Amino acid sequence: MARVTGIGGIFFKAQDPVALRDWYRRHLGIDVLDWGGAAFRWTDANGAPAGGTTIWSVAGSGSDTFAPSASTFMVNYRVDDLQALLAALRADGCQVLDKTDDSEYGKFGWVIDPEGNKVELWQPPPGA
């Protein structure tokens, strides 16, 4: 099962970058390279280049969008099978939020990383 299949781009700080990189590598399957980050190329299920969209948005300072996290950011990761990933994260002992959302924009679920950051997982609708 592919865990994370894409992201437009985001940069953030962590109190323990080595441990946090390892958490993302182990639990979300992100290939963190020696320089401390990962590079995603959008591809289809066969590995061929594919188009896609990444959203960048700024919320008001009073927004509770990232709750229960107190962080000032949230990363949205594209995934291919949200329910399977949420089940795998629960089995790994990760803090997965009970709420999920299924809308015309796709399926959404959330996990809290070891630094207390809310991570949004997004399975696009079929054909998107």
Side-chain angles (χ1 to χ4, degrees):
M1 165 187 62
R3 292 191 177 206
V4 171
T5 61
I7 187 173
I10 191 163
F11 304 90
F12 58 97
K13 297 177 183 178
Q15 293 176 20
D16 186 342
V18 173
L20 193 58
R21 287 178 197 139
D22 182 57
W23 186 91
Y24 277 93
R25 179 184 297 115
R26 188 169 13 116
H27 295 295
L28 295 183
I30 295 176
D31 183 20
V32 179
L33 302 175
D34 290 342
W35 53 267
F40 293 98
R41 305 260 188 264
W42 285 39
T43 61
D44 65 17
N46 297 317
T53 302
T54 299
I55 303 298
W56 185 88
S57 178
V58 177
S61 62
S63 173
D64 64 354
T65 302
F66 308 148
S69 173
S71 294
T72 58
F73 72 94
M74 180 176 68
V75 180
N76 171 295
Y77 293 99
R78 184 177 172 131
V79 302
D80 65 350
D81 187 339
L82 179 64
Q83 292 307 317
L85 178 53
L86 294 176
L89 292 170
R90 284 186 182 98
D92 286 345
C94 297
Q95 183 184 350
V96 177
L97 302 183
D98 290 331
K99 179 187 177 203
T100 58
D101 185 31
D102 190 350
S103 73
E104 64 185 285
Y105 302 108
K107 298 176 182 180
F108 297 85
W110 297 270
V111 62
I112 305 297
D113 76 14
E115 295 274 332
N117 303 306
K118 183 178 180 182
V119 176
E120 184 171 68
L121 305 169
W122 169 54
Q123 180 182 333

